[in-house]
Amino acid sequence: MFIVKIALKIAANAAAVYIASLFVNGVSIQAGELNNAESLGILALIGFVLWFGNYIIRPLLKVLTFPLILVTFGLFNVVINMGILWAVDIILPQMEIAGFIPLAWTTAIVTLINSLLFFL
């Protein structure tokens, strides 16, 4: 059951980034002239790296920045989410987020979709 949840979260992250690339100017997934299997592989890789960042790195960052989270009444969590998404952008050359505003919108979309998935 745990593996199914992981696969669902990876798929949701991949879908969220794909939706962001469709609706947010400045966000692109460079699949180029690849066939559908390779494009899905790239999306799965993006979803996996984003899941890994949220599952492993995010809790560590929340512990380290706990005072900032308290002072900002939890709003620093948005900065942590943006940082993880920006790190995924830096790590993977197939995904490109050009600028702060597209990063903020993409973070909002990914957070919204992950929040909706949490309630299911």
Side-chain angles (χ1 to χ4, degrees), residues 8-13 15-17 50 54 58 62 77-78 81 106-120:
L8 187 60
K9 288 181 182 186
I10 290 171
N13 285 329
V17 171
L50 193 55
N54 283 330
R58 185 171 182 233
K62 286 178 88 170
N77 284 322
V78 176
N81 290 341
T106 304
T107 303
I109 291 170
V110 170
T111 303
L112 179 69
I113 290 176
N114 283 331
S115 297
L116 290 175
L117 180 67
F118 177 75
F119 289 115
L120 294 178

Side-chain angles (χ1 to χ4, degrees), residues 84-98 103:
I84 290 171
L85 196 57
W86 184 46
V88 171
D89 176 35
I90 290 171
I91 291 170
L92 297 176
Q94 295 90 352
M95 184 173 116
E96 183 178 337
I97 301 175
L103 178 64

Side-chain angles (χ1 to χ4, degrees), residues 24-91:
V24 178
N25 290 332
V27 178
S28 63
I29 299 171
Q30 298 169 351
E33 294 294 324
L34 303 175
N35 61 19
N36 289 337
E38 291 180 39
S39 298
L40 286 176
I42 290 171
L43 281 173
L45 179 65
I46 291 170
F48 175 77
V49 174
L50 193 55
W51 168 81
F52 183 80
N54 283 330
Y55 190 73
I56 302 295
I57 298 169
R58 185 171 182 233
L60 295 173
L61 289 174
K62 286 178 88 170
V63 168
L64 291 174
T65 60
F66 182 69
L68 285 172
I69 293 171
L70 279 179
V71 169
T72 61
F73 300 110
L75 290 176
F76 197 75
N77 284 322
V78 176
V79 174
I80 292 173
N81 290 341
M82 288 177 75
I84 290 171
L85 196 57
W86 184 46
V88 171
D89 176 35
I90 290 171
I91 291 170

